[in-house]
Amino acid sequence: MRIVRKLAREPFRARMNVSPGEAVSSAPPFKRNRLRWFSLIGVCVVLLSAVLFSLSFGSKDIALGQAWVLLFFPDGSVASTVLHELRVPRTHMALVVGSALGVAGALMQSLTRNPLADPGILGINAGASLAVVLSVALTGMGSIRIYLWFAFLGAALASVGVYLLGAAGRQQVTPTRLALAGVAISAALSALTEAVVLANQVVFNEFRLWVAGSLEGRSYDILLTVLPFIALGLLLALALAPALNALALGVEKGRSLGVNVRRTQVLTITAVTLLCGAATAAMGPVGFVGLAVPFLARGLVGSDQRWVFVLSVLLGMAWLLYADVIARVIVRPEEIQVGIVAALIGAPFFVALVRRRKIPAL
Amino acid sequence: MVKHAGAKRGQTGSSGRGRSVGTGCGQTGSSGRGRSVIRLGAVSLRFERRGLFVMVLLVLGILAVSLASLLIGDYGISFDEVLASFMGTATDRLVAFFVMDVRLPRIVAGILVGAALGVSGALFQTLSDNPLGSPDIIGFTKGAATGALVVIVVFSGGTVALSLGAIAGGLLTAALVYGLSWHRGAPGYRLVLVGIGIGATLGAVNSLLVVKAPLGNAEMAIHWMAGSLNASTWNEVALTGAVLAVLAAVVCWQYRALGAMAYGDDSAIVLGVRAERSRLILMFTGIMLMSMAISLAGPISFVALVAPHLIKRITRTAGTALVGAALMGSLLVVSSDLVARRIFAPNELAVGVVTGSLGGIYLIALLAFEWRRRRQ
């Protein structure tokens, strides 16, 4: 186990097959660490700006300074009410769900060693939403306490399915093939979801926004219901980081380093299920967040999963908040669903990733 | 995962039952089993008996479903009344109206749309050498829908403008997808992935267009987006039919080239085909076919993907079965439309929803089988 910890600290060296003493990177270790801390601070600043924008922009703008003051000293004015009744809950929701989606993407990418893995692209969100829609159609009840469990069930089935497609079997599956399988699954599941929704229009009257992914009008009740599960998922992800670091060397090497491969896989899928199921139950299927966020995080801090997860939490929050701000201002005074904006900015990112000559396996 | 056709090429002939999903693979025909030849003087026609049998069955199926669609409905019509309406001797003018001006154009529209989508899917799957390379997966359908939506939302255009918009959208999307995925030579799988990304972006753009539309146009846009044969009129059907006839002629002209290109561009060139030119012509034709279908009925998903797959499974043919794909597409759309009309009667579902869910189930089953075989 000690060597695993050592590797967890220096996965980059281990991957280059260099013994820990030798210098491999152009940046010496202390500089590398300092860069990571700088990135962390930078991302925090970006996140803070996103929170401020989210409080300030909307169908009725509140000046940044005024929003800041009203946040701590509510004065009963219209602006203050809007801020505390609408914008603050919405921002909380985006923070929680965004972190879940970002880390779920990072977990999937690390487990499948595939930079194209994303809960949206691989159909996990679609599985969760199909299960939710089915449960609402069958029981006629739209309570999050009931359909949250269906969301977990759907997400679990979809993640196991995708993982079997992607990682089982004799030959190593290329990133491309896994992505194609995921896209096929997710297209199929969303078509089924659409069918159920269109066939039960009355039941889904209040669900229309949810189907495309929306943060509008989500109550604290919903937030508090999903919060424990997302927190559990995030903790699980952090606890799994060292094992995933070792598995990044390949299953065989990971096993020889003392990692219980099967347990790691099961726990990772559990964490992904918790995060995606809860996020989808809360705001509907939103894709492409988990694709871009881990990619950016790796670009900033390298391949150490512990850092990648921490940064994915922050970047996921910021990404979703910015998407939500754009969704609010792009068709003022109306607003569109955040899922649409997430696809609008995330899908070109996917194209750019795919266009690179060779998609490297992680 | 759906198999890569290229990897299968070495195993011609030996591939057993149900293993002929991929494009351009199958029997070499050296055995000559299961084939018949008709000779009339200098003209000879060779065909596969199984394929012919399947096609006859498909035609019968289409006729049966069409007849059922004429008879079944909220307003019940008997067989005699249908016959009388066809002869123009119906006593009840309401019956004649329902048969000739409501149900029949709808059925014909379904047949045309299905055939166009089936052929378009078969063309793209062959040209991209990839069973997933059909226009609904690689985003062309979404692009055509974007074009049509722009016409509806921004210009409030009519039928012809809608068709032109869909064609323009489809062509631009294809140019974009190919341009972005071209990297020294044939794009292969990158084409599909880039297409998926572009498709997702355009899907978001479509939702945005619907939200931004003024109220009257938005209703029309939402209705159209679901994909429905509901409002088909003879005028639209005639227009689409005429264009599709021209496109069918183009496909016949290039049919031989397509067959050669299924074995790769190099082989095609050796066989005397101008591969690049044929590819461009066929691609343009495929996009036109798909766009015409979309402008008539809205985006009807998965038919272009599933019809060529199914026909290959059933007939176990080599190469591309264009006629079979057309018939299979028609059968799929016409029967899905009947299901869509009746399953929640008197409420009507959009046909696109039915094809979407059926196609989705088919795709999942396909992937599951593929996975099980890979495990073995």
Side-chain angles (χ1 to χ4, degrees):
Chain A
M1 212 49 207
R2 217 165 71 213
I3 191 159
V4 174
R5 274 192 215 113
K6 187 148 197 170
L7 274 170
R9 249 174 275 137
E10 305 205 348
F12 182 69
R13 283 156 186 281
R15 184 169 312 179
M16 302 291 284
N17 273 334
V18 177
S19 62
E22 287 172 58
V24 283
S25 138
S26 56
F30 67 91
K31 220 171 199 174
R32 200 175 166 76
N33 252 335
R34 199 156 54 179
L35 279 177
R36 283 170 172 167
W37 285 108
F38 275 134
S39 323
L40 190 65
I41 294 168
V43 169
C44 284
V45 171
V46 171
L47 178 59
L48 199 65
S49 72
V51 170
L52 279 179
F53 284 142
S54 166
L55 293 175
S56 148
F57 285 121
S59 53
K60 183 180 185 307
D61 282 349
I62 305 171
L64 278 176
Q66 196 194 355
W68 191 245
V69 174
L70 286 176
L71 191 60
F72 297 105
F73 307 103
D75 60 1
S77 64
V78 175
S80 165
T81 315
V82 166
L83 187 79
H84 283 275
E85 298 290 315
L86 299 175
R87 304 258 168 93
V88 172
R90 188 170 183 157
T91 307
H92 283 156
M93 194 71 181
L95 289 174
V96 171
V97 179
S99 65
L101 288 178
V103 173
L107 278 171
M108 283 308 284
Q109 296 188 1
S110 157
L111 180 69
T112 57
R113 300 168 71 196
N114 180 345
L116 298 181
D118 161 66
I121 295 173
L122 293 189
I124 297 170
N125 291 350
S129 57
L130 177 61
V132 168
V133 161
L134 274 178
S135 83
V136 173
L138 292 178
T139 63
M141 274 182 293
S143 163
I144 178 121
R145 286 179 212 294
I146 298 166
Y147 67 67
L148 177 63
W149 297 101
F150 283 92
F152 287 141
L153 184 69
L157 287 178
S159 359
V160 171
V162 164
Y163 186 68
L164 287 180
L165 276 171
R170 277 176 310 182
Q171 74 232 60
Q172 171 75 33
V173 171
T174 62
T176 318
R177 285 169 79 88
L178 181 68
L180 284 176
V183 165
I185 286 187
S186 111
L189 293 175
S190 354
L192 290 172
T193 308
E194 196 189 350
V196 178
V197 170
L198 285 177
N200 304 278
Q201 298 221 357
V202 183
V203 181
F204 285 105
N205 207 14
E206 49 189 298
F207 255 71
R208 262 178 326 178
L209 288 177
W210 182 90
V211 169
S214 170
L215 291 164
E216 192 189 353
R218 310 271 108 187
S219 65
Y220 270 117
D221 186 35
I222 292 178
L223 180 63
L224 290 178
T225 313
V226 298
L227 187 59
F229 297 101
I230 290 181
L232 187 63
L234 293 179
L235 288 177
L236 201 53
L238 282 178
L240 282 167
L244 286 171
N245 268 340
L247 280 184
L249 306 169
V251 172
E252 290 304 317
K253 283 193 182 148
R255 190 173 283 140
S256 69
L257 287 170
V259 175
N260 184 337
V261 176
R262 188 59 64 193
R263 193 181 66 186
T264 309
Q265 288 168 338
V266 169
L267 285 178
T268 308
I269 290 186
T270 311
V272 169
T273 302
L274 283 173
L275 294 170
C276 294
T280 306
M283 69 166 175
V286 170
F288 293 106
V289 178
L291 175 82
V293 162
F295 181 82
L296 293 176
R298 274 198 307 276
L300 286 172
V301 296
S303 54
D304 185 346
Q305 291 301 332
R306 297 170 303 174
W307 280 91
V308 170
F309 287 158
V310 170
L311 246 75
S312 294
V313 169
L314 301 173
L315 280 171
M317 292 170 168
W319 187 277
L320 198 63
L321 274 174
Y322 272 116
D324 191 40
V325 170
I326 294 172
R328 274 183 255 166
V329 297
I330 194 169
V331 285
R332 271 204 276 204
E334 313 259 329
E335 63 173 81
I336 59 175
Q337 290 93 323
V338 67
I340 297 175
V341 178
L344 212 53
I345 54 181
F349 196 92
F350 178 77
V351 174
L353 263 185
V354 169
R355 278 203 64 200
R356 300 190 308 168
R357 182 145 322 140
K358 192 161 163 279
I359 302 161
L362 283 178
Chain B
M1 197 43 254
V2 178
K3 115 182 26 101
H4 186 14
K8 292 281 300 165
R9 258 182 222 136
Q11 311 178 6
T12 45
S14 66
S15 51
R17 292 172 64 114
R19 297 200 63 178
S20 50
V21 203
T23 46
C25 61
Q27 298 144 313
T28 49
S30 56
S31 67
R33 265 188 307 158
R35 299 195 174 160
S36 298
V37 179
I38 296 175
R39 289 205 171 81
L40 293 168
V43 184
S44 63
L45 182 67
R46 195 191 62 165
F47 57 88
E48 296 184 16
R49 282 196 295 275
R50 185 185 174 91
L52 194 70
F53 179 64
V54 169
M55 281 180 204
V56 171
L57 274 189
L58 283 175
V59 171
L60 289 179
I62 293 172
L63 288 177
V65 176
S66 305
L67 185 62
S69 307
L70 282 174
L71 297 175
I72 304 171
D74 287 341
Y75 188 90
I77 298 175
S78 74
F79 185 68
D80 294 341
E81 286 171 320
V82 169
L83 269 187
S85 310
F86 277 160
M87 302 297 185
T89 58
T91 46
D92 192 342
R93 284 177 57 192
L94 192 61
V95 169
F97 171 74
F98 267 122
V99 172
M100 297 306 289
D101 289 328
V102 177
R103 292 193 189 161
L104 196 58
R106 184 174 182 151
I107 293 166
V108 176
I111 292 176
L112 287 179
V113 166
L117 287 175
V119 172
S120 154
L123 284 179
F124 278 113
Q125 287 177 23
T126 308
L127 290 177
S128 67
D129 192 16
N130 187 332
L132 279 182
S134 75
D136 26 19
I137 298 269
I138 55 179
F140 295 178
T141 315
K142 295 242 171 56
T146 310
L149 274 179
V150 167
V151 169
I152 294 178
V153 171
V154 182
F155 303 110
S156 314
T159 315
V160 180
L162 195 76
S163 308
L164 291 178
I167 292 171
L171 286 175
L172 282 177
T173 311
L176 188 65
V177 170
Y178 273 93
L180 283 176
S181 56
W182 210 269
H183 243 303
R184 291 183 199 160
Y189 263 118
R190 195 186 284 112
L191 171 81
V192 179
L193 286 175
V194 168
I196 285 163
I198 299 284
T201 319
L202 287 172
V205 171
N206 289 353
S207 317
L208 195 62
L209 278 171
V210 172
V211 177
K212 274 199 90 125
L215 200 61
N217 292 346
E219 295 248 316
M220 186 176 165
I222 290 173
H223 185 78
W224 183 83
M225 276 290 281
S228 169
L229 296 165
N230 194 4
S232 314
T233 61
W234 279 123
N235 280 342
E236 292 169 3
V237 171
L239 175 77
T240 313
V243 179
L244 289 186
V246 175
L247 294 173
V250 175
V251 174
C252 290
W253 170 44
Q254 289 290 336
Y255 185 73
R256 200 172 279 273
L258 183 72
M261 280 158 69
Y263 294 95
D265 276 9
D266 290 344
S267 316
I269 290 168
V270 170
L271 291 172
V273 172
R274 291 162 71 179
E276 284 305 313
R277 193 188 69 150
S278 294
R279 180 181 293 277
L280 269 181
I281 294 174
L282 285 169
M283 214 119 66
F284 185 76
T285 317
I287 293 167
M288 290 278 286
L289 282 168
M290 173 206 76
S291 306
M292 287 314 291
I294 284 177
S295 64
L296 183 59
I300 294 183
S301 48
F302 282 117
V303 173
L305 175 77
V306 172
H309 280 210
L310 279 182
I311 197 69
K312 276 193 181 148
R313 290 222 149 185
I314 297 173
T315 58
R316 302 179 204 152
T317 50
T320 45
L322 286 180
V323 181
L327 291 175
M328 182 58 88
S330 296
L331 182 62
L332 284 176
V333 171
V334 175
S335 33
S336 299
D337 190 42
L338 183 61
V339 172
R341 267 174 54 201
R342 296 315 298 171
I343 190 166
F344 294 115
N347 291 329
E348 198 171 278
L349 217 55
V351 62
V353 172
V354 177
T355 59
S357 2
L358 290 180
I361 293 170
Y362 173 80
L363 203 53
I364 292 178
L366 191 72
L367 289 168
F369 283 127
E370 196 73 30
W371 169 69
R372 214 175 57 185
R373 210 174 54 232
R374 202 151 47 75
R375 279 282 301 266
Q376 285 164 2

